[in-house]
């Protein structure tokens, strides 16, 4: 609706520039951290996103906001402090930066999944990322709940390990508080895409630990 022109099936051409500018800003972030290690690159992406936006509580709770920019990534990268997103925007933005990146280890991959979460910003529908690192283990990257004053700030829910499974739900314990992620396949209203994801849904039990290697130079 936000991009609609004078009629239902026309587009407001002035909005093209907003999208193009956001895309260019995202590319600049990827370029800025191109030489960083894979772990530092991912951490920088999380930090950049959290610095660019805040959680859009109004869009998430009001029920009056048409599905559009608060759920997308353009408002993450438009450099406008007044435009903010919900979890879908955070996770899509992180995925977008990863998709444009060249990692030193070709096995590093980012995926986006949906489901529900109990804890952090509250109980309800949620979207987050799963990252496969160079050790071929998979970790939860909940950028939304690493932002602001959330229980995961600023990296407690980034590349986090979890107990449980996709079938039972993942549990990440932060400061004694359990954060439960239930993959959409266990929700009767969401499609089960577990066969497509395969082993990606098997989360490592411990948080990722990056080992810095001293080259002696």
């Amino acid at each position: 609706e936000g991009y609609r022109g004078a009629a239902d099936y026309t587009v407001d051409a002035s909005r093209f520039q907003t999208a193009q500018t956001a895309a260019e800003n995202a590319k600049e972030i990827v370029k800025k951290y191109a030489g960083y290690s894979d772990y530092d690159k991912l951490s920088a992406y999380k930090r950049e996103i959290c610095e660019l936006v805040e959680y859009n509580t109004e869009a998430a709770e009001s029920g009056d906001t048409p599905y559009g920019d608060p759920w997308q990534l353009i408002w993450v990268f438009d450099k406008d402090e007044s435009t903010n997103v919900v979890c879908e925007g955070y996770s899509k933005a992180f995925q977008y930066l990863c998709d444009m990146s060249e990692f030193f280890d070709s096995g590093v991959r980012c995926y986006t999944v949906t489901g529900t979460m109990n804890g952090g910003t509250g109980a309800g529908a949620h979207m987050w990322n799963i990252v496969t690192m160079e050790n071929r283990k998979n970790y939860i990257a909940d950028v939304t709940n690493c932002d602001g004053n959330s229980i995961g700030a600023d990296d407690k829910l980034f590349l986090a390990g979890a107990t449980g499974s996709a079938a039972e739900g993942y549990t990440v314990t932060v400061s004694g508080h359990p954060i439960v992620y239930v993959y959409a396949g266990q929700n009767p209203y969401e499609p089960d895409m577990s066969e497509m994801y395969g082993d990606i849904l098997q989360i490592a039990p411990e948080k990722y630990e990056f080992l810095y290697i001293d080259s002696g130079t």
Side-chain angles (χ1 to χ4, degrees):
E1 183 174 317
Y3 291 79
R4 188 182 300 164
D8 286 353
Y9 300 100
T10 61
V11 177
D12 180 355
S14 67
R15 300 303 298 271
F16 289 160
Q17 187 58 51
T18 302
Q20 291 173 344
T21 299
E24 290 302 317
N25 290 339
K27 290 178 182 178
E28 286 300 314
I29 293 175
V30 173
K31 181 180 178 181
K32 179 179 178 180
Y33 298 104
Y36 283 53
S37 71
D38 294 340
Y39 170 75
D40 287 337
K41 188 176 299 182
L42 293 167
S43 296
Y45 293 167
K46 180 263 297 178
R47 184 177 64 254
E48 289 276 357
I49 292 170
C50 290
E51 289 177 352
L52 286 168
V53 290
E54 296 179 358
Y55 188 77
N56 195 327
T57 303
E58 181 179 355
E61 297 180 353
S62 69
D64 297 328
T65 305
Y67 182 78
D69 280 325
W71 288 265
Q72 309 306 327
L73 52 82
I74 290 176
W75 276 10
V76 176
F77 300 116
D78 65 357
K79 294 188 177 181
D80 183 344
E81 293 183 357
S82 68
T83 58
N84 293 298
V85 297
V86 297
C87 60
E88 192 168 334
Y90 280 90
S91 54
K92 286 179 177 179
F94 187 73
Q95 181 76 61
Y96 190 60
L97 295 178
C98 290
D99 286 350
M100 290 193 292
S101 302
E102 290 187 14
F103 294 102
F104 288 101
D105 190 300
S106 60
V108 175
R109 291 282 189 275
C110 177
Y111 305 88
T112 302
V113 295
T114 60
T116 60
M117 184 204 65
N118 186 357
T121 54
H126 194 47
M127 183 179 287
W128 66 95
N129 303 103
I130 294 176
V131 179
T132 304
M133 295 301 290
E134 83 291 334
N135 59 8
R136 302 306 181 261
K137 294 181 180 180
N138 308 311
Y139 301 88
I140 290 175
D142 186 353
V143 179
T144 307
N145 283 291
C146 289
D147 196 13
N149 295 319
S150 177
I151 192 171
D154 60 0
D155 65 354
K156 297 181 183 68
L157 288 172
F158 186 72
L159 300 184
T163 58
S165 66
E168 300 170 355
Y170 314 112
T171 298
V172 184
T173 302
V174 177
S175 302
H177 300 282
I179 310 296
V180 180
Y181 296 86
V182 177
Y183 170 64
Q186 299 307 306
N187 183 336
Y189 303 104
E190 296 282 351
D192 186 349
M193 301 176 69
S194 56
E195 290 187 5
M196 182 188 78
Y197 285 112
D199 292 343
I200 301 306
L201 298 177
Q202 297 178 9
I203 305 300
E206 304 291 340
K207 182 177 176 65
Y208 177 78
E209 294 292 340
F210 177 65
L211 299 177
Y212 286 93
I213 300 176
D214 186 354
S215 64
T217 59

